[in-house]
Amino acid sequence: MPIQWREQFSVGNDLIDSDHRYLLEIINKAELCLKANQATLLPPLLDELGHYGQMHFQREEQVAKAVGYPKSEQLHISHDALVEKLKVVRSQIGDAWTKESVTHFTAFLRDWLLNHVIKEDMLMKPWLQKYSPRFDPR
């Protein structure tokens, strides 16, 4: 079942929230491909997830530093770990999309987004709320 965006996922910054919505969309598409046994459609989605994820992480770190978030360095370390974990999980699965690997990867994708947003990005919310939701330090 696809993950639906909820307002409780919002960190209060339109730039970050928009990125999170798009990442959620990519993850939902990947999950649908896996469930429909269309693994051949998956590599470009995973490439997009990795590429867009890195762009989002850079943007998010820039916003975190600009609003004075005191754990911005920890956020960077966490982002690097997420990118590396995506690479590791993808390489472990390779081209053999068994039912078990599909289940494992689907759980990983959900965890990748939801735990990151809920456990880490929400910690920034008090700092982000001091600024307009449209704040963009670029």
Side-chain angles (χ1 to χ4, degrees):
M1 172 175 253
I3 302 169
Q4 299 296 317
W5 176 263
R6 297 181 203 146
E7 205 48 45
Q8 69 194 40
F9 295 158
S10 173
V11 296
N13 177 272
D14 294 345
L15 186 65
I16 294 172
D17 287 344
S18 177
D19 280 354
H20 287 164
R21 282 186 186 99
Y22 187 68
L23 288 166
L24 182 63
E25 186 179 310
I26 296 169
I27 289 171
N28 283 337
K29 286 179 186 177
E31 189 174 300
L32 288 173
C33 286
L34 289 168
K35 288 184 178 184
N37 292 320
Q38 296 177 323
T40 57
L41 301 175
L42 202 54
L45 283 172
L46 297 180
D47 289 343
E48 185 177 1
L49 179 62
H51 176 71
Y52 195 84
Q54 287 183 324
M55 287 185 350
H56 160 66
F57 292 155
Q58 289 171 351
R59 243 189 318 267
E60 189 173 79
E61 290 167 22
Q62 187 177 23
V63 170
K65 286 178 185 173
V67 300
Y69 180 57
K71 296 182 181 180
S72 59
E73 186 56 37
Q74 289 172 284
L75 193 62
H76 175 72
I77 292 167
S78 171
H79 288 160
D80 283 351
L82 282 170
V83 169
E84 191 56 37
K85 190 172 180 183
L86 177 61
K87 289 177 188 176
V88 168
V89 170
R90 282 184 67 184
S91 69
Q92 287 173 340
I93 293 172
D95 294 327
W97 289 95
T98 64
K99 189 173 185 172
E100 183 180 282
S101 64
V102 166
T103 301
H104 174 70
F105 198 69
T106 300
F108 164 73
L109 289 175
R110 285 171 171 260
D111 180 69
W112 193 74
L113 181 70
L114 293 178
N115 277 337
H116 174 69
V117 171
I118 292 169
K119 287 186 179 174
E120 294 189 48
D121 290 352
M122 282 300 175
L123 297 174
M124 282 192 299
K125 196 169 186 170
W127 282 266
L128 293 169
Q129 288 179 329
K130 296 175 186 176
Y131 294 79
S132 163
R134 292 188 262 311
F135 177 72
D136 183 346
R138 295 179 288 173

